[in-house]
Amino acid sequence: AAGVIQSPRHLIKEKRETATLKCYPIPRHDTVYWYQQGPGQDPQFLISFYEKMQSDKGSIPDRFSAQQFSDYHSELNMSSLELGDSALYFCASSLVPDTLSGNTIYFGEGSWLTVV
Amino acid sequence: GESVGLHLPTLSVQEGDNSIINCAYSNSASDYFIWYKQESGKGPQFIIDIRSNMDKRQGQRVTVLLNKTVKHLSLQIAATQPGDSAVYFCAEKKTGRRALTFGSGTRLQVQP
């Protein structure tokens, strides 16, 4: 079965540079989520999109932005990178019915970002 | 073996024993809960979910119990195997939101 695809898997950037992560959700899923997980930490929710519109906002820094495109893939743009941005970034997707009832959220394998 | 809430970050059990991982969630308005398994360097893998109108759900070798009175969630793994070694997270979805909030993980170590 198709899963959530993230690219790149590994990325090394210098401080103050920019980085872009891409996410391709499971086919027919309409909601995409971005999470950040630091070493030894639990995943922290950043932002989500439903039908190309931002649906929830978590602890995403102002230096970060994201969007969902017409083909439902999403990109997370990170600017003015700081050492503390080094983390594993996960994208997840789900198919959400109208009632906002629970629906399984599936995660990709993540993109490792190292800021040096 | 059993963990006491998530204040005990590591649970060590013998192969073949049953494991119980506990989670105290924060929001009484949460209506959906999921347990994820995460192996080192990989994404969280769905194990089992439960809606707030249920108090128990069983899967293959796993059972999730929900006690809304004390806002407690537990994951029971029967006949634990070495392949079950990983970090386990509980996650909750608050009513009206789509995103999940993760709790702190518990590392399960299975001794052969």
Side-chain angles (χ1 to χ4, degrees):
Chain A
V4 177
I5 305 298
Q6 291 188 243
S7 67
R9 290 299 314 277
H10 299 272
L11 191 60
I12 300 175
K13 290 286 186 178
E14 294 187 354
K15 284 193 301 183
R16 292 181 289 278
E17 285 192 318
T18 61
T20 298
L21 306 180
K22 295 186 178 182
C23 169
Y24 297 86
I26 293 172
R28 294 185 297 281
H29 280 194
D30 53 18
T31 303
V32 169
Y33 313 79
W34 285 98
Y35 283 80
Q36 177 192 58
Q37 186 177 30
Q41 306 287 316
D42 54 283
Q44 293 292 317
F45 171 65
L46 295 178
I47 196 167
S48 65
F49 293 86
Y50 167 64
E51 287 290 347
K52 293 153 281 183
M53 298 289 290
Q54 180 181 312
S55 58
D56 278 327
K57 190 173 182 180
S59 54
I60 185 169
D62 291 341
R63 298 177 289 109
F64 293 9
S65 65
Q67 57 182 326
Q68 186 179 31
F69 295 87
S70 58
D71 63 351
Y72 293 99
H73 95 272
S74 178
E75 294 184 3
L76 177 66
N77 300 293
M78 299 173 283
S79 62
S80 303
L81 288 169
E82 303 173 355
L83 295 178
D85 296 329
S86 295
L88 189 55
Y89 289 83
F90 290 109
C91 176
S93 74
S94 69
L95 178 61
V96 180
D98 293 338
T99 59
L100 286 179
S101 62
N103 209 314
T104 306
I105 296 176
Y106 295 93
F107 283 76
E109 291 299 309
S111 293
W112 281 98
L113 171 66
T114 302
V115 182
V116 297
Chain B
E2 182 171 345
S3 70
V4 179
L6 291 174
H7 302 292
L8 185 67
T10 302
L11 175 64
S12 186
V13 301
Q14 291 293 124
E15 182 179 357
D17 286 353
N18 296 331
S19 302
I20 300 176
I21 301 173
N22 297 300
C23 176
Y25 63 93
S26 58
N27 194 321
S28 58
S30 292
D31 58 8
Y32 180 61
F33 305 86
I34 304 180
W35 279 100
Y36 284 95
K37 171 186 179 183
Q38 186 176 28
E39 296 174 277
S40 181
K42 294 189 175 182
Q45 178 186 356
F46 170 83
I47 301 174
I48 192 168
D49 59 358
I50 188 168
R51 288 179 168 73
S52 59
N53 61 354
M54 305 168 67
D55 53 22
K56 180 178 180 179
R57 191 162 188 225
Q58 288 185 292
Q60 188 175 9
R61 283 202 307 120
V62 294
T63 300
V64 55
L65 299 177
L66 175 63
N67 185 330
K68 293 181 288 294
T69 302
V70 295
K71 294 189 287 186
H72 183 268
L73 193 68
S74 70
L75 176 70
Q76 301 178 0
I77 305 173
T80 313
Q81 302 168 359
D84 295 326
S85 295
V87 176
Y88 289 80
F89 290 97
C90 66
E92 61 183 300
K93 187 189 79 69
K94 297 178 175 56
T95 304
R97 297 192 70 188
R98 293 187 171 90
L100 295 174
T101 300
F102 280 77
S104 299
T106 296
R107 179 174 300 281
L108 177 65
Q109 293 179 336
V110 182
Q111 308 296 331

